[in-house]
Amino acid sequence: MLLSLLAAGLLTGCSVDEVEESTAKPQNEIRMLVNIDRQTDTRAATIYEGTTQLSSFKTSAYTTGSTTPFVENELVNYVGNQEWHFVNGPYYWPETAALNFFAYAPADLTNCVVAADAVSYSAVDGPSFSATLPATSQGQDGKEEFIYAYVTDKTFENSGNGVKLDFHHPFATVCFKLRANNDAVTINSITIKDVKTSGTFTHAATPQWSNLGGTTDFVATIGQDFAEVDYEQTVGDIYLVMPQACANSKQTVVVSYSVDGGTPDELEAEADVTGWEAGSRYTYVLAIDTFLKVTVTSITINDWVKYNWQ
């Protein structure tokens, strides 16, 4: 009987342990879902158009209402099947606190328009960063665009399936086209006068740029021949510009060109645009004729398309 009672006790003990293990709450890993505002007609390799161009990014998580980092500037890589993992993770949700997530790309800011020491975080205003854009197309060729994501008050209860990170474009982009049926021309360069090239972006309640400065002429070196055709031709590449208002609600565009191999000439045109807004692309359509006149025939503005989570 004693042996029977001992055996029964052992069996009962195992049963209790199994129940305790099965009801224990496991740690909840922080997971991320990623998307990027996009356009469909880009050509520039330095402009992020979608997650296929985003292999990694840096992210930090802060306890809501403070600058205390729960996760500090950690590298996140894409591992496939729409999964993004912390390289030094995993990290798990805190039991009680909510988190604010700030992420940016590229992960390596060495050749980016925003430097690593120009990025900061405030408990009140969230992320901010400063930038100085090269004023020439050659200077921008080696620079990568900066994109960022910021979401607040996330917990396991409202984001356990994945923190939804929407990456946004804080700069504007500008590109040029040559109108159909122009005479055969060689465009040497295009200059936009009096452009501000530096500023500070703060997310805050209303994301905005401030402290704009460094006024100079933006020069895009083209050096390209264009045939007389019946369709618009893209001139040069896509360039990043600082969001800003234009003086007198006008922009002066200077085109250096020659017709049929003749003497290079330089002409000005006024563009009717009040300024550049963050997250928008501006396409200037130019016309050059044999009467030595250049005009900006139109400016098309296309906003980056926001991703709609299903």
Side-chain angles (χ1 to χ4, degrees):
M1 181 176 292
L2 179 60
L3 291 175
S4 299
L5 290 172
L6 288 173
L10 290 173
L11 289 174
T12 303
C14 290
S15 177
V16 170
D17 288 342
E18 288 171 0
V19 170
E20 288 177 351
E21 289 176 3
S22 65
T23 58
K25 186 177 181 179
Q27 289 179 304
N28 300 310
E29 183 178 349
I30 296 175
R31 305 178 188 277
M32 282 163 287
L33 304 173
V34 175
N35 251 291
I36 303 174
D37 299 343
R38 67 189 67 188
Q39 291 275 347
T40 58
D41 61 347
T42 188
R43 297 178 307 105
T46 55
I47 305 295
Y48 288 98
E49 285 291 340
T51 52
T52 56
Q53 292 175 285
L54 185 67
S55 60
S56 63
F57 57 87
K58 286 286 185 68
T59 190
S60 296
Y62 300 89
T63 304
T64 298
S66 77
T67 56
T68 303
F70 185 81
V71 176
E72 188 168 19
N73 213 33
E74 287 286 351
L75 182 65
V76 177
N77 281 348
Y78 182 64
V79 297
N81 196 31
Q82 304 303 313
E83 290 188 19
W84 300 79
H85 289 178
F86 287 104
V87 172
N88 295 319
Y91 289 89
Y92 300 95
W93 289 100
E95 291 186 5
T96 57
L99 298 176
N100 298 343
F101 288 83
F102 167 47
Y104 65 81
D108 181 0
L109 299 179
T110 303
N111 294 314
C112 183
V113 295
V114 174
D117 60 0
V119 180
S120 61
Y121 183 83
S122 161
V124 176
D125 294 328
S128 64
F129 44 88
S130 299
T132 299
L133 297 178
T136 65
S137 55
Q138 297 98 315
Q140 288 204 13
D141 283 346
K143 297 291 185 179
E144 293 183 84
E145 182 192 18
F146 182 89
I147 56 176
Y148 84 101
Y150 183 57
V151 292
T152 61
D153 297 321
K154 298 303 176 184
T155 64
F156 177 76
E157 283 67 29
N158 61 31
S159 300
N161 292 328
V163 179
K164 295 178 179 178
L165 295 177
D166 287 311
F167 281 87
H168 303 302
H169 301 263
F171 296 95
T173 61
V174 170
C175 60
F176 304 96
K177 289 186 176 181
L178 186 62
R179 195 182 66 178
N181 298 317
N182 280 272
D183 289 326
V185 298
T186 299
I187 296 182
N188 303 309
S189 65
I190 299 175
T191 300
I192 302 179
K193 304 288 287 186
D194 300 327
V195 180
K196 297 185 184 299
T197 58
S198 64
T200 299
F201 180 91
T202 304
H203 186 85
T206 302
Q208 60 184 327
W209 285 92
S210 62
N211 301 323
L212 297 179
T215 304
T216 188
D217 294 342
F218 179 90
V219 182
T221 300
I222 310 298
Q224 185 177 350
D225 298 330
F226 293 88
E228 184 176 354
V229 296
D230 60 358
Y231 54 87
E232 291 180 352
Q233 301 173 78
T234 299
V235 180
D237 215 329
I238 293 173
Y239 307 105
L240 295 174
V241 296
M242 193 72 63
Q244 59 194 266
C246 299
N248 303 318
S249 299
K250 296 278 187 178
Q251 288 177 338
T252 300
V253 178
V254 180
V255 180
S256 172
Y257 75 102
S258 57
V259 178
D260 293 328
T263 303
D265 202 350
E266 193 173 86
L267 297 173
E268 292 188 1
E270 279 195 336
D272 290 317
V273 60
T274 59
W276 296 309
E277 297 290 337
S280 293
R281 174 178 296 166
Y282 297 77
T283 302
Y284 291 60
V285 179
L286 307 173
I288 301 173
D289 59 35
T290 53
F291 297 101
L292 298 182
K293 182 180 180 182
V294 59
T295 55
V296 180
T297 62
S298 66
I299 298 177
T300 302
I301 305 173
N302 296 107
D303 292 330
W304 295 82
V305 178
K306 308 295 183 185
Y307 181 80
N308 292 319
W309 294 95
Q310 300 298 320

